[in-house]
Amino acid sequence: MLKHTLIVAVSLAACATFLFSCSSAKDARQAKALGTLSGARDPLYLEIGKLGADLTRKESVPGVAVAVIRDGKIAFIQCIGYADLASKRPITKETIFNVGSVSKMVSAWGFMQLSEKELVDLDSPVNRYLNRWKIPSSPFNIEKVTLRRILSHTAGLSVHGYGGAEQGTKLLSLQESLEGKTKRNGESVRLVNEPGTKWQYSGGGYTLAQLLLEERTEKTFAAYMRRYVFQPLGMNHTNYEWTEHMMANSATAYDTVGAPIKNRIFTEQAAAGLQTTIMDLAHFAELSITKNSSQLNKVLRPETIQLMEQPVMPSSIEGESGLGYRFMNYDGIRTIGHTGENVGWSAAVFMDMQIKSGIVVLCNGSNGDRVWYPIYQKWLASMSRNK
């Protein structure tokens, strides 16, 4: 549930203390070509700067990175506050964040490749493809659990989310996770509703899809996504694993009282384990909006992405999804995208497909929703002014 925050005024002097440019002099030309210079004359840029400087300080969230998309292209990227408080290292456009459940929206591109490559039929029973682990017997019809329903949270599967483990901890295998040996809830992935009859959010379904991809491709999930999705798209700072390079450039995660904590690692990478930068995720949002064939570089066909962005029935007051993408109705405005929270991290992606606009917000604190939600509201207000 979103935690609303009272927004107070902040002086320009205070803003200057906390606001950092995402672009150095050395990469100014590149940034200009990408449309990511500071945008200091942009009213929304100034509003986000003042608001973000206030909220990061007030809510014990050291830093936030924001990308705004207009007409299907990145209009600006803005970095506010610190990647690490102790060293006063600022957030930059290359700072690594974990993005929680936004991982699902990205992982869905890999799963849909299985369909395009005819390795999986979207509407065939997934159990028929599995060997290492299968959905356990149930009074509900297991044959109705399909990839289409898994990606849209309509497969009737259990396990809402995952807590992960501290870096340095030995991770469970996928099979152990599916069997419910996680410390957070000890809940196995199983059928709890008749498939196709109810929308129910299931991170467990995405863990099952992760196993499906590994079985059909004979590659690890992280390696597959890196080779067949991230590299072709030019998302060179995005990974489902915490590599040494990722850790060296990562922001520090902070808990609800602003204390630094160790990064979380996940067996359930597809559901919650993505690390990325504001630049890479904003580029992903661009492609979700514009579906530019040349930039997609044969990762997915434009018509596949269009299919993913259509609602899958049934929906409910609890939620509505496409294939990886969720439909969200905050403040009465219907957008598509995803939000995500892990301990120490919070992220949000909102896209208005009709006007080809969007906003991406990444935070390195558990209270990040208290930061990104008011920024999201500023973005909404700016769209209303420009209509």
Side-chain angles (χ1 to χ4, degrees):
M1 182 178 293
L2 291 169
K3 301 181 276 281
H4 294 274
T5 304
L6 177 64
I7 303 173
V8 298
V10 62
S11 68
L12 288 175
C15 177
T17 302
F18 287 87
L19 181 61
F20 296 89
S21 169
C22 288
S23 303
S24 66
K26 290 182 179 180
D27 62 7
R29 288 186 180 180
Q30 179 185 9
K32 185 175 181 181
L34 292 169
T36 60
L37 280 174
S38 68
R41 296 179 181 178
D42 189 307
L44 180 59
Y45 183 95
L46 296 175
E47 290 174 355
I48 290 174
K50 290 187 288 186
L51 182 58
D54 177 42
L55 292 172
T56 51
R57 181 177 62 250
K58 182 180 179 181
E59 302 298 347
S60 300
V61 177
V64 57
V66 183
V68 169
I69 297 167
R70 295 191 184 117
D71 298 320
K73 298 293 181 184
I74 298 171
F76 63 79
I77 289 178
Q78 191 168 11
C79 304
I80 302 166
Y82 298 105
D84 183 79
L85 282 173
S87 64
K88 301 300 181 185
R89 177 165 53 92
I91 297 288
T92 74
K93 63 184 177 65
E94 295 180 348
T95 299
I96 303 293
F97 295 80
N98 175 271
V99 295
S101 287
V102 175
S103 305
K104 297 179 179 68
M105 181 175 69
V106 179
S107 66
W109 281 45
F111 300 140
M112 292 301 290
Q113 273 195 355
L114 301 182
S115 174
E116 285 197 352
K117 294 176 179 179
E118 299 184 351
L119 293 173
V120 172
D121 184 278
L122 280 177
D123 298 306
S124 291
V126 295
N127 248 14
R128 297 182 183 180
Y129 297 111
L130 301 175
N131 294 304
R132 284 153 52 188
W133 186 90
K134 291 181 180 289
I135 304 167
S137 60
S138 167
F140 304 110
N141 191 343
I142 295 172
E143 292 289 290
K144 292 182 179 179
V145 179
T146 65
L147 184 58
R148 188 190 303 273
R149 286 175 172 156
I150 288 172
L151 299 186
S152 59
H153 300 285
T154 60
L157 293 168
S158 63
V159 184
H160 184 277
Y162 298 98
E166 286 188 354
Q167 279 184 337
T169 305
K170 183 179 179 180
L171 286 173
L172 298 174
S173 68
L174 272 177
Q175 297 95 302
E176 288 173 326
S177 173
L178 290 162
E179 289 168 1
K181 295 181 180 178
T182 57
K183 291 183 179 179
R184 178 176 179 179
N185 51 23
E187 185 182 8
S188 63
V189 175
R190 65 192 191 283
L191 276 174
V192 293
N193 293 300
E194 185 67 20
T197 64
K198 181 181 179 181
W199 185 94
Q200 180 168 319
Y201 191 85
S202 174
Y206 276 72
T207 305
L208 181 58
Q210 181 179 333
L211 176 66
L212 175 68
L213 183 145
E214 292 192 358
E215 296 246 299
R216 299 304 290 164
T217 66
E218 298 184 346
K219 292 178 172 56
T220 66
F221 173 74
Y224 181 91
M225 291 296 295
R226 188 167 56 248
R227 169 66 180 83
Y228 294 100
V229 178
F230 301 147
Q231 289 177 1
L233 295 181
M235 296 172 66
N236 298 319
H237 304 285
T238 300
N239 205 316
Y240 277 96
E241 293 179 318
W242 279 110
T243 64
E244 288 188 14
H245 171 76
M246 302 294 280
M247 287 188 285
N249 292 283
S250 173
T252 301
Y254 292 84
D255 65 15
T256 56
V257 297
I261 57 176
K262 289 184 178 180
N263 288 335
R264 310 298 288 178
I265 54 176
F266 292 83
T267 296
E268 307 84 8
Q269 295 170 335
L274 182 67
Q275 284 69 239
T276 190
T277 65
I278 189 66
M279 179 68 84
D280 276 10
L281 194 56
H283 179 53
F284 182 89
E286 280 184 309
L287 294 175
S288 297
I289 293 171
T290 62
K291 306 168 186 63
N292 185 305
S293 296
S294 60
Q295 288 188 321
L296 285 172
N297 199 19
K298 298 182 180 180
V299 172
L300 284 179
R301 295 190 290 265
E303 55 267 30
T304 298
I305 302 171
Q306 186 174 8
L307 172 66
M308 297 169 71
E309 296 171 349
Q310 301 303 310
V312 176
M313 295 295 106
S315 61
S316 73
I317 59 172
E318 296 178 350
E320 180 182 23
S321 296
L323 303 178
Y325 294 80
R326 289 193 63 185
F327 290 87
M328 298 175 285
N329 296 284
Y330 295 148
D331 294 333
I333 305 298
R334 180 177 168 89
T335 59
I336 190 170
H338 221 291
T339 61
E341 292 185 3
N342 280 330
V343 177
W345 307 99
S346 189
V349 179
F350 297 94
M351 296 173 284
D352 186 322
M353 296 302 186
Q354 289 187 336
I355 61 173
K356 296 186 176 181
S357 295
I359 186 167
V360 180
V361 190
L362 307 180
C363 304
N364 60 328
S366 291
N367 295 334
D369 60 328
R370 300 180 186 177
V371 176
W372 67 248
Y373 187 72
I375 291 174
Y376 158 81
Q377 290 179 307
K378 283 292 184 185
W379 171 71
L380 281 185
S382 75
M383 289 201 301
S384 298
R385 288 196 302 266
N386 294 329
K387 284 184 178 179

